[in-house]
């Protein structure tokens, strides 16, 4: 099997003893604090939503940076102890484990409103066991981990919101584990698309039957434990059956009920 050259390059960086953890200035661009938190629609979708809704200025005052990464750039590397906690404001990213030979396993996809590395908020000196990379151009809001911890632990409503978010993360990870271990490829793909669609719909970022979908076939393959060729054949079959059409960065759910049936029964 051939692996994408970019994956091999990422793996080589991660396993190089001489690698520096510092982000290259060519990879990330600091943006002046031009983003007005009072007009932000993403704050209400985050782990600190109750605090943001009551006082956007509180969150804005704690933000240390607004950063932009180009597509397919490393945001955090495996082995790094993050000094910042990021909220994904715009774009898509993924968490993945890279192997020496260029293989990778995508653990999860990140969309606007998600926290890039939620573990380092409450675990001191947390050494990230995965790499976070942008899938599209992304914009991130950066905070000190201790400041986000203070926010999410500030009152009961905020604590419940944070707990629900953690439960959702665990639930999605367990669903994906079952999918990879026991479901056919067609069900894995259907459930992945449906899960992403459900998340984006809850956040007001998708239509009833259409969503932004910038994932490449190799991204889907590396998330679901199948080959890119198998993904290609399966997507073609779903399109011919009038169930799902993915092209040009969009996914159209042509028959939502049948897709759900495939996800549940295959």
């Amino acid at each position: 099997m051939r692996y994408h050259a970019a994956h091999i390059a990422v793996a080589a960086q991660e396993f190089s003893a001489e690698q520096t953890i510092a982000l290259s200035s060519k990879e990330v661009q600091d943006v002046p604090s031009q983003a007005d938190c009072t007009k932000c629609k993403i704050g209400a979708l985050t782990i600190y939503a109750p605090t943001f809704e009551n006082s956007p200025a509180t969150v804005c005052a704690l933000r240390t940076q607004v950063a932009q990464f180009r597509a397919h750039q490393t945001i955090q590397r495996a082995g790094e102890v993050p000094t910042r906690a990021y909220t994904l404001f715009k774009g898509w990213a993924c968490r993945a484990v890279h192997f020496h030979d260029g293989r990778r396993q995508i653990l999860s996809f990140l969309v606007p409103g998600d926290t890039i590395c939620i573990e380092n908020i409450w675990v001191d000196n947390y050494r990230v066991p995965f790499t976070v990379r942008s899938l599209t151009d992304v914009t991130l809001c950066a905070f000190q981990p201790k400041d986000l911890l203070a926010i999410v632990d500030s009152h009961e409503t905020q604590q419940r919101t944070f707990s629900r978010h953690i439960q959702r993360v665990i639930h999605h990870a367990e669903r994906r584990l079952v999918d990879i271990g026991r479901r056919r490829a067609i069900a894995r793909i259907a459930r992945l698309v449906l899960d992403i669609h459900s998340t984006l719909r809850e956040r007001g970022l998708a239509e009833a039957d259409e969503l932004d979908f910038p994932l490449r076939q190799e991204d889907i393959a590396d998330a679901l434990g199948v080959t890119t060729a198998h993904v290609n054949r399966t997507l073609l079959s779903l399109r011919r059956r009038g169930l799902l059409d993915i092209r040009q960065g969009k996914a159209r759910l042509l028959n939502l009920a049948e897709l759900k049936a495939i996800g549940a029964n295959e």
Side-chain angles (χ1 to χ4, degrees):
M1 181 182 296
R2 294 183 178 179
Y3 301 107
H4 198 281
H7 299 171
I8 297 176
V10 170
Q13 286 182 345
E14 290 185 7
F15 290 102
S16 170
E18 298 178 356
Q19 169 199 339
T20 177
I21 292 298
L23 293 172
S24 166
S25 60
K26 295 181 180 179
E27 293 180 348
V28 61
Q29 176 184 0
D30 288 342
V31 179
S33 295
Q34 60 205 26
D36 184 353
C37 289
T38 62
K39 299 179 181 179
C40 177
K41 297 181 179 179
I42 300 300
L45 313 177
T46 65
I47 59 174
Y48 45 80
T51 298
F52 178 84
E53 290 171 349
N54 290 331
S55 177
T58 298
V59 176
C60 192
L62 295 175
R63 188 185 63 198
T64 61
Q65 178 195 40
V66 177
Q68 293 179 334
F69 288 77
R70 297 190 302 274
H72 312 301
Q73 297 291 336
T74 298
I75 299 171
Q76 289 179 343
R77 291 188 176 95
E80 176 184 359
V81 177
T83 59
R84 293 169 177 164
Y86 290 110
T87 295
L88 184 54
F89 173 76
K90 182 179 180 180
W92 289 40
C94 71
R95 300 174 15 151
V97 174
H98 293 263
F99 296 88
H100 293 274
D101 58 5
R103 290 177 299 153
R104 65 171 177 170
Q105 176 63 51
I106 291 179
L107 305 175
S108 61
F109 295 108
L110 303 167
V111 297
D114 283 336
T115 303
I116 292 293
C117 183
I118 199 168
E119 295 87 347
N120 77 315
I121 294 176
W122 75 85
V123 180
D124 291 337
N125 298 316
Y126 179 73
R127 194 169 296 278
V128 181
F130 48 78
T131 290
V132 181
R133 282 176 66 83
S134 56
L135 296 172
T136 66
D137 292 349
V138 301
T139 302
L140 307 170
C141 293
F143 301 86
Q144 292 293 327
K146 62 180 179 60
D147 290 337
L148 276 192
L149 178 61
I151 287 179
V152 300
D153 198 36
S154 59
H155 55 84
E156 185 176 354
T157 301
Q158 180 62 80
Q159 291 169 353
R160 286 200 300 268
T161 296
F162 185 60
S163 295
R164 284 196 299 269
H165 181 86
I166 297 299
Q167 290 168 356
R168 187 179 300 113
V169 169
I170 294 172
H171 175 66
H172 278 286
E174 291 174 341
R175 278 170 59 90
R176 194 69 59 237
L177 179 61
V178 172
D179 291 347
I180 293 173
R182 287 292 180 261
R183 296 189 190 278
R184 296 175 56 201
I186 191 170
R188 298 182 206 180
I189 292 174
R191 288 167 69 86
L192 175 65
V193 174
L194 288 170
D195 282 351
I196 293 174
H197 177 251
S198 175
T199 297
L200 294 178
R201 280 284 285 170
E202 288 176 1
R203 300 181 185 185
L205 301 175
E207 302 298 330
D209 59 358
E210 184 174 293
L211 64 149
D212 290 334
F213 199 81
L215 304 185
R216 301 172 299 182
Q217 290 185 6
E218 67 182 79
D219 298 326
I220 298 173
D222 289 348
L224 299 179
V226 295
T227 65
T228 304
H230 202 156
V231 171
N232 182 274
R233 290 193 299 268
T234 303
L235 291 178
L236 182 59
S237 173
L238 289 169
R239 184 186 306 160
R240 288 173 173 171
R241 292 167 60 179
L243 304 179
L244 175 67
D245 187 12
I246 297 177
R247 65 179 78 192
Q248 297 180 339
K250 296 284 186 180
R252 294 175 59 227
L253 312 182
L254 305 177
N255 190 327
L256 188 58
E258 185 62 22
L259 278 177
K260 289 180 177 179
I262 289 173
N265 300 319
E266 291 288 343

